[in-house]
Amino acid sequence: MEHAPGNRPVDLTTALARARSPERPGPGLPAGPAARAWPGPPRPIPEAGPADLDLRALLRLSLAASDDSGRLRPTPSAGALHPVDTELVVGDGCSLPPGRYGYDPLRHRVHRLGAQPGGTPPGVTAELSVTARRTVSHYGHRAWPLLLLDTGHAAAALFLAARALGTDEPGVRLEGHTESPLATVYVAPPGRQGPVRQPGATPGPPPRGNAPAPAELLARRSALPPLPGAPPPDVLWAVLATAEQAGADGLRWSAAVGPPRPGLVGPSADGTAPLRRAAGEARPTLAAWAAGQAWIAEAGAVLLAHGCPADADPPRIRSSHLRAGFAVHLAHVTALRHGLAARPVGSWQQADLGAALGDAPGRDWVVHGLALGTRHADEENTT
């Protein structure tokens, strides 16, 4: 992942510091192909048998494009550039024969790359990596955190699709130890239990009602701004609690709220109600930090993932951003289920939240955000 176009190595710590700076990106460049060119002929994904994991449905509900341009997909991406590439390691009990495959989300087809590794468990492991050029083409030096956030969103989309299909709890790994794959999602066949959860595996959100319905996942979109209207306190708490549960490791979670009591709230130690962390109107400052997106100052509320200090090493940078993308995606779906409009916000500059609150500088940066409102725009966004 940490290679710019031309395969020049990138120091991720330095790249993140530059992405957080006020420096503006230069002119845009060609993004290149919208999907990775896998070798070999494309193959349709067969229908699933009664005891098989339905890979066609799993991928349709999570990663597949639904328009000819490839922009409209069930998972959001900065600039609708969709840099995440997916390899499938398929074992027994799936609608594809065992093997390793590259997935083409534009055509909803797979390319067989070879045999599955020895010891492959039943089911499928989706290995997520990125083609950095797609995002770098538009965002320049600000692309590196966005690539990681997009990967976390893609992992969450697979996680939710597996839940919608009624599988055992998917196994998600977002530890950030490797550059490729950046993340993996394991899904067992129906009626079979996956491997015992390994240390460091990302937990899912707390159980809140039924698993999402397939139609619900296909309909999720990022709402166009503006997003006015303060969410009811119980709904904001549900969104905040989902994010905190799904992305607690190495991150803190807060929400900026407006009148009548503007300030920052966060989860309490006992998990029963929001805790007021700071008083005062924060949304205009967040708008300035979020690449100057003025509409954020009028959003009903803004969920924030923060942490990842300035001296974080590459594994921690990867893990923090992957987990933030994963958790914001789940929080986004929770918001939609409660009737809110929501839009992820991934690009943040000079967003040293800790320093703004009087703490030591460089220790507590905004990593990701989710703007929330109660009124939907008339038109859906494609990003």
Side-chain angles (χ1 to χ4, degrees):
M1 193 286 272
E2 288 135 44
H3 291 81
N7 295 322
R8 295 188 303 273
V10 172
D11 178 339
L12 188 54
T13 303
T14 301
L16 179 60
R18 190 180 175 199
R20 287 171 166 174
S21 77
E23 179 186 354
R24 293 182 176 275
L29 301 169
R36 184 169 171 179
W38 301 103
R43 304 182 180 197
I45 305 173
E47 291 187 10
D52 291 339
L53 175 61
D54 189 344
L55 296 180
R56 183 193 296 180
L58 180 76
L59 295 164
R60 175 66 71 191
L61 295 175
S62 56
L63 303 178
S66 57
D67 70 330
D68 293 338
S69 74
R71 290 172 61 89
L72 193 59
R73 310 194 199 190
T75 178
S77 171
L81 293 164
H82 296 285
V84 180
D85 301 321
T86 307
E87 290 191 35
L88 306 171
V89 181
V90 178
D92 294 329
C94 292
S95 52
L96 278 170
R100 178 178 285 272
Y101 299 84
Y103 177 59
D104 180 349
L106 303 185
R107 298 167 184 82
H108 197 41
R109 296 288 188 268
V110 294
H111 296 248
R112 185 173 174 86
L113 306 178
Q116 82 273 31
T120 297
V124 65
T125 299
E127 298 180 348
L128 305 179
S129 58
V130 295
T131 297
R133 173 181 173 178
R134 293 181 208 143
T135 303
V136 171
S137 69
H138 181 72
Y139 292 96
H141 67 276
R142 292 179 178 174
W144 305 106
L146 299 175
L147 290 161
L148 295 166
L149 295 173
D150 276 9
T151 305
H153 278 275
L158 286 160
F159 175 90
L160 290 172
R163 280 196 159 184
L165 296 176
T167 71
D168 186 46
E169 187 80 353
V172 183
R173 299 196 64 86
L174 306 172
E175 290 73 52
H177 297 313
T178 61
E179 297 177 17
S180 184
L182 286 167
T184 63
V185 180
Y186 168 75
V187 184
R192 303 195 204 183
Q193 186 174 8
V196 175
R197 184 183 298 276
Q198 297 176 342
T202 300
R208 294 182 178 275
N210 298 325
E216 181 182 1
L217 297 183
L218 291 173
R220 66 195 148 177
R221 293 290 180 264
S222 298
L224 282 173
L227 275 66
D234 61 328
V235 174
L236 179 62
W237 173 236
V239 174
L240 186 60
T242 296
E244 199 274 339
Q245 175 70 20
D249 191 5
L251 292 170
R252 298 177 66 196
W253 293 88
S254 301
V257 297
R261 297 186 65 204
L264 283 178
V265 298
S268 59
D270 60 8
T272 58
L275 174 69
R276 191 168 179 81
R277 289 180 169 165
E281 180 60 85
R283 294 172 299 166
T285 299
L286 296 177
W289 285 350
Q293 298 181 75
W295 62 269
I296 292 174
E298 303 298 328
V302 185
L303 176 72
L304 299 171
H306 48 102
C308 196
D311 60 357
D313 60 14
R316 183 168 180 182
I317 292 171
R318 286 191 289 263
S319 178
S320 294
H321 286 78
L322 291 167
R323 291 178 186 276
F326 182 88
V328 164
H329 192 94
L330 298 182
H332 189 172
V333 172
T334 296
L336 297 181
R337 298 188 89 177
H338 284 84
L340 297 182
R343 183 177 181 84
V345 182
S347 189
W348 297 90
Q349 289 77 51
Q350 299 180 289
D352 190 341
L353 183 63
L357 296 177
D359 297 330
R363 308 308 303 165
D364 195 25
W365 293 80
V366 175
V367 176
H368 202 7
L370 182 68
L372 303 165
T374 58
R375 193 177 74 203
H376 290 264
D378 293 333
E379 180 183 1
E380 290 183 338
N381 190 7
T382 60
T383 60

